[in-house]
Amino acid sequence: MITQGVQVTGRCGVCGGTTTCDVGQFSDDGMLWWGTEGRCADCSNWWCEQDSGLVTPENIRQALLQVHGAARLRLSGDLLSLAPVLQALRSARELSLGEARVQATQLAETGLIGTLVEMETLAIYLRIRSIAVSVEPAA
């Protein structure tokens, strides 16, 4: 399991007080999950959400990227054909053939950028198809 989280503060929608919220992403069995759990310091307002899928809410992604930085997924071996990469990307991200071609080209040239959990989860799909990849800080 791969996890990454951060704590953020905000304003309570009930009383206007200060909220503390733990947000994060994790990967379990090749599936991307996200979660958020928060509470207000000034009233009894609290919440907990968790979901999975291809898209993590942008506020969670941005909080993770701001604190932890971005990760870059790159091909780390030579390929005779991008066809296995296209298949893996289409399977992992439910992309059209055109979208998969664009991402496969990026992967082969400059790499794909995202959160650490997103890139490690995608790396699983590629490695299952014997495609050598590496994940590193994007900086």
Side-chain angles (χ1 to χ4, degrees):
M1 183 183 294
I2 303 158
T3 66
Q4 195 172 55
V6 65
Q7 193 171 78
V8 296
T9 58
R11 289 274 155 233
C12 178
V14 174
C15 75
T18 302
T19 58
T20 303
C21 187
D22 295 309
V23 300
Q25 285 180 317
F26 63 98
S27 177
D28 191 19
D29 277 340
M31 181 169 286
L32 180 66
W33 291 81
W34 60 268
T36 178
E37 182 177 327
R39 62 206 161 280
C40 179
D42 301 314
C43 74
S44 62
N45 186 28
W46 67 274
W47 64 95
C48 181
E49 290 181 272
Q50 180 175 305
D51 203 355
S52 65
L54 300 175
V55 179
T56 298
E58 196 59 28
N59 64 316
I60 294 174
R61 288 188 81 251
Q62 290 306 313
L64 293 170
L65 290 168
Q66 183 177 4
V67 171
H68 298 289
R72 182 185 313 270
L73 175 66
R74 289 186 170 169
L75 294 177
S76 57
D78 292 330
L79 289 175
L80 299 176
S81 166
L82 282 181
V85 176
L86 291 169
Q87 291 172 337
L89 290 171
R90 291 190 74 196
S91 173
R93 295 189 157 181
E94 298 179 7
L95 300 173
S96 70
L97 185 55
E99 292 167 327
R101 278 191 189 117
V102 168
Q103 288 191 18
T105 301
Q106 286 178 306
L107 187 61
E109 293 174 356
T110 59
L112 295 174
I113 304 286
T115 68
L116 176 64
V117 176
E118 291 165 348
M119 296 300 97
E120 288 287 358
T121 302
L122 184 52
I124 291 168
Y125 280 87
L126 293 160
R127 290 175 182 140
I128 286 171
R129 288 166 175 81
S130 300
I131 300 165
V133 293
S134 63
V135 178
E136 58 198 35

